[in-house]
Amino acid sequence: MASSKLTSLFSFLLLLLLISSSRETHAQQKDDAPYVGVNIGTDASNFLSPADLVAFLQMQKITHVRLYDADGDILRALARTKIRVIIGVPNNQLIAIGSSNTTAAAWIGRNVAAFYPQTLIIAVAVGDEVLTAVPSSAPVLMPAIESLYSALVAANLHTQIKISTPHSASVVLDTFPPSQAFFNQSLSPVISPLLQFLSKTKSPFMINLYPYYVFMQNRGVVPLDNSLFKPLTPSKEMVDPNTLLHYTNVYDAMIDAVYFSMKNQNITDVVVLVTETGWPSKGDSKEPYATMDNADTFNSNLIKHVLDRTGTPLHTEITSSVYIYELFNEDLRSLPVSEANWGLFYANTTPVYLLHVSGSGGFLANDTTNQTYCVAMDGVDSRTLQAALDWACGPGRANCTEIQPGEDCYQPNNIKNHASYAFDSYYQKEGKTAGSCDFKGVAMITTTDPSHGSCVFPGSKMVSNKTINGVNSTVSSGAGTVRFVGLHSSQIAVAFHEALRILLSFAVFLIFNSFVS
């Protein structure tokens, strides 16, 4: 009888151990999953308050962000959320930190230890494109990194928080074919010890990669479709003659160029983290490919590419995580025009364009499956607005019947109201495609229903079983939520293992009792 009890108990213990092993394996797989994050620049008029910013990030299901500094108000607002953050050491602080261990320790204490773990800081980006943007600070870059790392070790945070530095793509030369790429040899005094440091600390090689600039600098050589992740026929694929690897997009080729460059330095255990990439939605006459349509195509396909976890031709088993540049348009940026137009959203949180990411999870809620409208922007002069209204109701063939005298949307009788109705009619008629809500820059997409009183806008007429009320936020598409690495999964793991510990203790107690009896 005792033998039967022992057999049952040992079987029970074995089952628990198998379950535990399975859960740990699953958790590890989730921790290794690639993610898409966003960069948050703040050079914008009427920038959101920290609380509103965090609420917006949560609404959009954004779980990874990169800050260019360590703004205390934003870090406090991020506390007790699932959002993971990379904080930055501004370039102008490198000399002080690289020259003094005490200054580095104070920086970690003030900007990391004061917030972690309530705020999920996952990495510190030391400077930004230091080797190419401020080469005079290159000699202090590694001392700054090592001093900050020592401060993390002293605070016992070095295993949870990584240290690295984002580079410009120009640190890699001869990027195609990727197998011939190598680091700029003039940067070796910094690159070589940095790679050794990253390998030792299991930290990523951070780099900003922009297929947009590759395309603009090589027009006629690099096809636009290759830069936008568009499907290619085999004849249009780029082939590395040394490896015979086929590249269907510029982005993967740029990543593999980094891996080959590291391999040339005998470093094969450091992963690439793309800290910036994106495509501008607007540019001046010298940037004709900076359009909403191209920006939409690039970023939508980028998100799908990363979440499909297909890796690169060289490393199919590794998909680099990426931070899109950027969350908001920064209208205070200086020329060229494109500098202010990299954002997915305007500073007031309305989307610049609608990403086509249905089926890729809920990373961004501003998907084409959401209800959106096209309205006239504030502050546009009446003459320009009238010209856009005339085009929409004329050559644009919008249905402008409802804004005629006596009809439901005639009041209020002003150009802005009539233009908004006509713009939305055209936008809905065109299927809300990228570029259909522009009208030479006087229109914008909104998620707030502009209908009022008995005036029902075309976008509202197309929605079944919905009341006509203003909606002040972007509604989730309802697609399956992407399981990015976050606090939630770790909390579940902790709870599970605590329960397992109790069960195992109980099982041992039963075994002891069986021996006694």
Side-chain angles (χ1 to χ4, degrees), residues 115-158:
F115 299 100
Y116 188 87
Q118 287 79 16
T119 300
L120 296 177
I121 299 170
I122 61 171
V124 177
V126 184
D128 187 38
E129 300 188 351
V130 175
L131 300 183
T132 50
V134 281
S136 61
S137 295
V140 298
L141 180 57
M142 279 310 301
I145 288 173
E146 289 167 346
S147 295
L148 290 167
Y149 180 73
S150 295
L152 284 178
V153 172
N156 198 29
L157 296 174
H158 59 292

Short mmCIF file of all heavy atoms in Angstrom, two decimals, residues 115-158:
data_model
loop_
_atom_site.label_atom_id
_atom_site.label_comp_id
_atom_site.label_asym_id
_atom_site.label_seq_id
_atom_site.Cartn_x
_atom_site.Cartn_y
_atom_site.Cartn_z
N PHE A 115 14.11 54.72 -10.28
CA PHE A 115 12.85 54.35 -10.93
C PHE A 115 12.65 52.84 -11.08
O PHE A 115 11.52 52.37 -11.13
CB PHE A 115 12.78 55.00 -12.31
CG PHE A 115 12.81 56.49 -12.28
CD1 PHE A 115 13.99 57.19 -12.56
CD2 PHE A 115 11.67 57.22 -11.95
CE1 PHE A 115 14.02 58.57 -12.52
CE2 PHE A 115 11.70 58.60 -11.91
CZ PHE A 115 12.88 59.29 -12.19
N TYR A 116 13.73 52.10 -11.17
CA TYR A 116 13.63 50.65 -11.40
C TYR A 116 13.41 49.94 -10.06
O TYR A 116 14.01 50.31 -9.06
CB TYR A 116 14.93 50.14 -12.04
CG TYR A 116 14.89 48.71 -12.49
CD1 TYR A 116 14.42 48.38 -13.76
CD2 TYR A 116 15.28 47.69 -11.65
CE1 TYR A 116 14.36 47.06 -14.17
CE2 TYR A 116 15.23 46.38 -12.05
CZ TYR A 116 14.77 46.06 -13.30
OH TYR A 116 14.70 44.75 -13.70
N PRO A 117 12.57 48.90 -9.97
CA PRO A 117 11.88 48.20 -11.07
C PRO A 117 10.45 48.68 -11.34
O PRO A 117 9.77 48.11 -12.17
CB PRO A 117 11.86 46.76 -10.56
CG PRO A 117 11.68 46.91 -9.08
CD PRO A 117 12.46 48.15 -8.71
N GLN A 118 9.98 49.69 -10.60
CA GLN A 118 8.61 50.16 -10.87
C GLN A 118 8.46 50.58 -12.33
O GLN A 118 7.44 50.29 -12.98
CB GLN A 118 8.27 51.34 -9.95
CG GLN A 118 8.02 50.94 -8.49
CD GLN A 118 9.31 50.69 -7.74
OE1 GLN A 118 10.39 51.09 -8.21
NE2 GLN A 118 9.23 50.05 -6.59
N THR A 119 9.48 51.26 -12.85
CA THR A 119 9.53 51.57 -14.27
C THR A 119 10.49 50.58 -14.93
O THR A 119 11.62 50.41 -14.48
CB THR A 119 10.04 53.00 -14.51
OG1 THR A 119 9.13 53.92 -13.87
CG2 THR A 119 10.11 53.32 -15.99
N LEU A 120 10.02 49.92 -15.98
CA LEU A 120 10.76 48.82 -16.58
C LEU A 120 11.83 49.33 -17.55
O LEU A 120 11.69 49.24 -18.77
CB LEU A 120 9.81 47.86 -17.29
CG LEU A 120 8.80 47.15 -16.37
CD1 LEU A 120 7.86 46.29 -17.19
CD2 LEU A 120 9.52 46.32 -15.33
N ILE A 121 12.90 49.85 -16.99
CA ILE A 121 14.05 50.28 -17.80
C ILE A 121 14.81 49.03 -18.22
O ILE A 121 15.22 48.23 -17.38
CB ILE A 121 14.96 51.23 -17.00
CG1 ILE A 121 14.18 52.48 -16.59
CG2 ILE A 121 16.20 51.59 -17.81
CD1 ILE A 121 14.91 53.36 -15.59
N ILE A 122 14.99 48.85 -19.54
CA ILE A 122 15.67 47.64 -20.01
C ILE A 122 17.06 47.92 -20.56
O ILE A 122 17.86 46.99 -20.72
CB ILE A 122 14.84 46.91 -21.08
CG1 ILE A 122 14.60 47.80 -22.30
CG2 ILE A 122 13.53 46.39 -20.49
CD1 ILE A 122 13.97 47.07 -23.48
N ALA A 123 17.36 49.17 -20.86
CA ALA A 123 18.67 49.49 -21.42
C ALA A 123 18.97 50.97 -21.28
O ALA A 123 18.06 51.80 -21.17
CB ALA A 123 18.75 49.06 -22.89
N VAL A 124 20.26 51.27 -21.30
CA VAL A 124 20.73 52.65 -21.35
C VAL A 124 21.49 52.83 -22.64
O VAL A 124 22.46 52.12 -22.92
CB VAL A 124 21.65 52.97 -20.16
CG1 VAL A 124 22.18 54.40 -20.27
CG2 VAL A 124 20.92 52.78 -18.82
N ALA A 125 21.02 53.76 -23.48
CA ALA A 125 21.71 54.09 -24.74
C ALA A 125 22.64 55.26 -24.45
O ALA A 125 22.19 56.37 -24.15
CB ALA A 125 20.69 54.45 -25.81
N VAL A 126 23.93 54.99 -24.53
CA VAL A 126 24.93 56.00 -24.17
C VAL A 126 25.25 56.85 -25.40
O VAL A 126 25.94 56.41 -26.32
CB VAL A 126 26.20 55.34 -23.62
CG1 VAL A 126 27.20 56.40 -23.16
CG2 VAL A 126 25.85 54.39 -22.46
N GLY A 127 24.71 58.05 -25.42
CA GLY A 127 24.88 58.92 -26.58
C GLY A 127 24.04 58.45 -27.75
O GLY A 127 23.30 57.48 -27.67
N ASP A 128 24.17 59.16 -28.86
CA ASP A 128 23.45 58.79 -30.08
C ASP A 128 24.30 59.16 -31.29
O ASP A 128 24.60 60.35 -31.50
CB ASP A 128 22.10 59.52 -30.15
CG ASP A 128 21.24 59.04 -31.31
OD1 ASP A 128 21.26 57.83 -31.60
OD2 ASP A 128 20.58 59.88 -31.94
N GLU A 129 24.72 58.14 -32.04
CA GLU A 129 25.56 58.33 -33.22
C GLU A 129 26.79 59.17 -32.90
O GLU A 129 27.21 60.04 -33.66
CB GLU A 129 24.74 58.96 -34.36
CG GLU A 129 23.54 58.11 -34.78
CD GLU A 129 22.84 58.61 -36.03
OE1 GLU A 129 23.18 59.72 -36.49
OE2 GLU A 129 21.98 57.89 -36.57
N VAL A 130 27.40 58.86 -31.76
CA VAL A 130 28.52 59.65 -31.26
C VAL A 130 29.69 59.66 -32.25
O VAL A 130 30.28 60.71 -32.53
CB VAL A 130 29.00 59.11 -29.89
CG1 VAL A 130 30.24 59.86 -29.42
CG2 VAL A 130 27.87 59.23 -28.87
N LEU A 131 30.05 58.50 -32.78
CA LEU A 131 31.26 58.38 -33.61
C LEU A 131 31.19 59.21 -34.88
O LEU A 131 32.22 59.62 -35.42
CB LEU A 131 31.52 56.92 -33.95
CG LEU A 131 31.74 55.99 -32.75
CD1 LEU A 131 32.07 54.58 -33.23
CD2 LEU A 131 32.84 56.52 -31.84
N THR A 132 29.98 59.46 -35.36
CA THR A 132 29.82 60.22 -36.60
C THR A 132 29.25 61.61 -36.38
O THR A 132 29.56 62.54 -37.13
CB THR A 132 28.92 59.46 -37.59
OG1 THR A 132 27.71 59.06 -36.91
CG2 THR A 132 29.61 58.21 -38.11
N ALA A 133 28.42 61.78 -35.35
CA ALA A 133 27.79 63.09 -35.09
C ALA A 133 28.69 64.01 -34.27
O ALA A 133 28.75 65.21 -34.52
CB ALA A 133 26.44 62.90 -34.39
N VAL A 134 29.36 63.44 -33.27
CA VAL A 134 30.26 64.24 -32.41
C VAL A 134 31.56 63.47 -32.23
O VAL A 134 31.86 62.99 -31.13
CB VAL A 134 29.61 64.56 -31.05
CG1 VAL A 134 28.63 65.71 -31.16
CG2 VAL A 134 28.92 63.34 -30.45
N PRO A 135 32.34 63.32 -33.29
CA PRO A 135 33.57 62.53 -33.21
C PRO A 135 34.55 63.02 -32.14
O PRO A 135 35.38 62.24 -31.66
CB PRO A 135 34.17 62.66 -34.62
CG PRO A 135 33.51 63.85 -35.23
CD PRO A 135 32.16 63.91 -34.63
N SER A 136 34.45 64.28 -31.75
CA SER A 136 35.33 64.78 -30.69
C SER A 136 35.08 64.09 -29.36
O SER A 136 35.95 64.08 -28.48
CB SER A 136 35.15 66.30 -30.54
OG SER A 136 33.82 66.61 -30.17
N SER A 137 33.90 63.49 -29.19
CA SER A 137 33.57 62.78 -27.95
C SER A 137 33.89 61.29 -28.02
O SER A 137 33.69 60.58 -27.04
CB SER A 137 32.08 62.96 -27.62
OG SER A 137 31.78 64.31 -27.34
N ALA A 138 34.38 60.84 -29.18
CA ALA A 138 34.69 59.42 -29.35
C ALA A 138 35.64 58.88 -28.28
O ALA A 138 35.42 57.78 -27.76
CB ALA A 138 35.24 59.16 -30.75
N PRO A 139 36.68 59.62 -27.89
CA PRO A 139 37.61 59.08 -26.89
C PRO A 139 36.98 58.81 -25.52
O PRO A 139 37.51 58.00 -24.75
CB PRO A 139 38.69 60.17 -26.79
CG PRO A 139 38.63 60.88 -28.11
CD PRO A 139 37.18 60.88 -28.47
N VAL A 140 35.88 59.50 -25.21
CA VAL A 140 35.26 59.29 -23.89
C VAL A 140 34.07 58.33 -23.94
O VAL A 140 33.46 58.06 -22.90
CB VAL A 140 34.81 60.63 -23.26
CG1 VAL A 140 35.99 61.54 -23.04
CG2 VAL A 140 33.74 61.30 -24.12
N LEU A 141 33.74 57.82 -25.13
CA LEU A 141 32.56 56.95 -25.25
C LEU A 141 32.73 55.67 -24.45
O LEU A 141 31.87 55.32 -23.63
CB LEU A 141 32.27 56.64 -26.72
CG LEU A 141 31.05 55.74 -26.97
CD1 LEU A 141 29.79 56.35 -26.35
CD2 LEU A 141 30.86 55.51 -28.47
N MET A 142 33.82 54.93 -24.67
CA MET A 142 34.02 53.69 -23.93
C MET A 142 34.21 53.93 -22.43
O MET A 142 33.62 53.19 -21.61
CB MET A 142 35.19 52.90 -24.51
CG MET A 142 34.84 52.09 -25.75
SD MET A 142 33.36 51.04 -25.57
CE MET A 142 33.80 49.98 -24.19
N PRO A 143 34.99 54.93 -22.02
CA PRO A 143 35.05 55.21 -20.58
C PRO A 143 33.68 55.50 -19.97
O PRO A 143 33.39 55.06 -18.84
CB PRO A 143 35.97 56.44 -20.50
CG PRO A 143 36.86 56.31 -21.69
CD PRO A 143 35.98 55.74 -22.77
N ALA A 144 32.83 56.21 -20.71
CA ALA A 144 31.48 56.49 -20.20
C ALA A 144 30.67 55.20 -20.07
O ALA A 144 29.99 54.98 -19.06
CB ALA A 144 30.77 57.48 -21.12
N ILE A 145 30.74 54.35 -21.09
CA ILE A 145 30.01 53.08 -21.07
C ILE A 145 30.49 52.21 -19.90
O ILE A 145 29.68 51.64 -19.15
CB ILE A 145 30.18 52.34 -22.41
CG1 ILE A 145 29.39 53.06 -23.51
CG2 ILE A 145 29.74 50.88 -22.31
CD1 ILE A 145 29.62 52.51 -24.91
N GLU A 146 31.80 52.11 -19.74
CA GLU A 146 32.35 51.26 -18.68
C GLU A 146 32.04 51.81 -17.29
O GLU A 146 31.74 51.04 -16.36
CB GLU A 146 33.85 51.09 -18.89
CG GLU A 146 34.18 50.21 -20.10
CD GLU A 146 35.63 50.29 -20.51
OE1 GLU A 146 36.33 51.22 -20.04
OE2 GLU A 146 36.07 49.44 -21.32
N SER A 147 32.05 53.12 -17.14
CA SER A 147 31.73 53.72 -15.84
C SER A 147 30.26 53.50 -15.49
O SER A 147 29.92 53.19 -14.34
CB SER A 147 32.05 55.21 -15.85
OG SER A 147 33.43 55.44 -15.99
N LEU A 148 29.39 53.66 -16.47
CA LEU A 148 27.96 53.43 -16.23
C LEU A 148 27.70 51.95 -15.92
O LEU A 148 26.88 51.63 -15.05
CB LEU A 148 27.15 53.87 -17.45
CG LEU A 148 27.09 55.38 -17.69
CD1 LEU A 148 26.54 55.69 -19.07
CD2 LEU A 148 26.23 56.06 -16.63
N TYR A 149 28.40 51.08 -16.62
CA TYR A 149 28.24 49.64 -16.35
C TYR A 149 28.71 49.31 -14.93
O TYR A 149 28.03 48.55 -14.21
CB TYR A 149 29.01 48.81 -17.38
CG TYR A 149 28.88 47.32 -17.15
CD1 TYR A 149 27.69 46.65 -17.44
CD2 TYR A 149 29.94 46.58 -16.62
CE1 TYR A 149 27.56 45.29 -17.23
CE2 TYR A 149 29.83 45.22 -16.40
CZ TYR A 149 28.63 44.57 -16.72
OH TYR A 149 28.50 43.21 -16.50
N SER A 150 29.81 49.86 -14.51
CA SER A 150 30.30 49.63 -13.15
C SER A 150 29.29 50.11 -12.12
O SER A 150 29.09 49.47 -11.08
CB SER A 150 31.64 50.34 -12.94
OG SER A 150 32.64 49.79 -13.78
N ALA A 151 28.64 51.22 -12.43
CA ALA A 151 27.61 51.73 -11.52
C ALA A 151 26.41 50.79 -11.46
O ALA A 151 25.82 50.59 -10.40
CB ALA A 151 27.18 53.13 -11.95
N LEU A 152 26.06 50.20 -12.60
CA LEU A 152 24.97 49.21 -12.61
C LEU A 152 25.36 47.98 -11.81
O LEU A 152 24.54 47.40 -11.08
CB LEU A 152 24.63 48.81 -14.05
CG LEU A 152 23.82 49.80 -14.88
CD1 LEU A 152 23.61 49.25 -16.29
CD2 LEU A 152 22.47 50.09 -14.25
N VAL A 153 26.62 47.54 -11.94
CA VAL A 153 27.10 46.39 -11.16
C VAL A 153 27.00 46.69 -9.67
O VAL A 153 26.54 45.86 -8.88
CB VAL A 153 28.55 46.03 -11.55
CG1 VAL A 153 29.11 44.97 -10.60
CG2 VAL A 153 28.61 45.53 -12.99
N ALA A 154 27.43 47.88 -9.29
CA ALA A 154 27.38 48.27 -7.88
C ALA A 154 25.95 48.28 -7.34
O ALA A 154 25.72 47.99 -6.17
CB ALA A 154 28.03 49.64 -7.69
N ALA A 155 25.01 48.61 -8.22
CA ALA A 155 23.59 48.64 -7.82
C ALA A 155 22.92 47.28 -8.04
O ALA A 155 21.71 47.15 -7.81
CB ALA A 155 22.85 49.71 -8.61
N ASN A 156 23.70 46.29 -8.49
CA ASN A 156 23.20 44.94 -8.78
C ASN A 156 22.07 44.97 -9.81
O ASN A 156 21.09 44.24 -9.71
CB ASN A 156 22.72 44.25 -7.49
CG ASN A 156 22.60 42.75 -7.66
OD1 ASN A 156 23.32 42.14 -8.46
ND2 ASN A 156 21.68 42.13 -6.92
N LEU A 157 22.24 45.82 -10.84
CA LEU A 157 21.24 45.93 -11.90
C LEU A 157 21.81 45.55 -13.26
O LEU A 157 21.13 45.66 -14.27
CB LEU A 157 20.71 47.37 -11.97
CG LEU A 157 19.93 47.88 -10.75
CD1 LEU A 157 19.60 49.35 -10.92
CD2 LEU A 157 18.67 47.06 -10.53
N HIS A 158 23.06 45.08 -13.29
CA HIS A 158 23.74 44.86 -14.57
C HIS A 158 23.20 43.68 -15.36
O HIS A 158 23.42 43.61 -16.58
CB HIS A 158 25.24 44.67 -14.34
CG HIS A 158 25.57 43.52 -13.45
ND1 HIS A 158 25.26 43.51 -12.10
CD2 HIS A 158 26.18 42.32 -13.70
CE1 HIS A 158 25.66 42.38 -11.57
NE2 HIS A 158 26.22 41.64 -12.52
#
